[in-house]
Structure formats: C-alpha cells, structure tokens
Amino acid sequence: MTQSDDIVVPTNPGQAVDVTQLAAVEQWTRQLGVSEEALRLAVAEVGTSAEEVRTHLGVS
C-alpha cells in the first residue's frame, strides 16, 4: 500500500477539496473525472467546498 492509498476523498458536501497535497489532487481528479488544471481553476474560482467545486464542474 502506498501513501496515496491512505488518502480518502471526502464525499461529504461540507468537506474541502485539498489542492495542496499531490495525492489528494490525484484522487479528486480521478473521482471527478477532470484534469488537475480544471480542478485547480475550479478551486480558485469557487473555493475549496467540495459541493461548490462539483457544481462548478457540473459533476454530481
């Protein structure tokens, strides 16, 4: 098991999208089906709220 395997992407809408940890970014991009650039731009535009990021990206 690698360190990135230990990171769980939160699904609770009140959780934050962490773009400071590479492993978390990789997990978020896989879960949301977006590029790292799209994820980082979404966080820059709407903040780190997982719910807001999903809405902004059009992902449910």
Side-chain angles (χ1 to χ4, degrees):
M1 181 185 296
T2 65
Q3 182 179 7
S4 64
D5 292 334
D6 295 336
I7 295 176
V8 175
V9 176
T11 56
N12 181 334
Q15 294 293 322
V17 176
D18 181 3
V19 293
T20 64
Q21 299 291 324
L22 181 57
V25 169
E26 290 171 352
Q27 294 237 341
W28 276 111
T29 57
R30 277 195 301 268
Q31 179 185 2
L32 299 174
V34 299
S35 68
E36 180 178 343
E37 180 182 10
L39 179 66
R40 290 184 183 278
L41 286 171
V43 168
E45 291 181 25
V46 301
T48 60
S49 162
E51 182 176 17
E52 291 296 320
V53 169
R54 283 185 179 96
T55 299
H56 182 76
L57 294 169
V59 178
S60 45

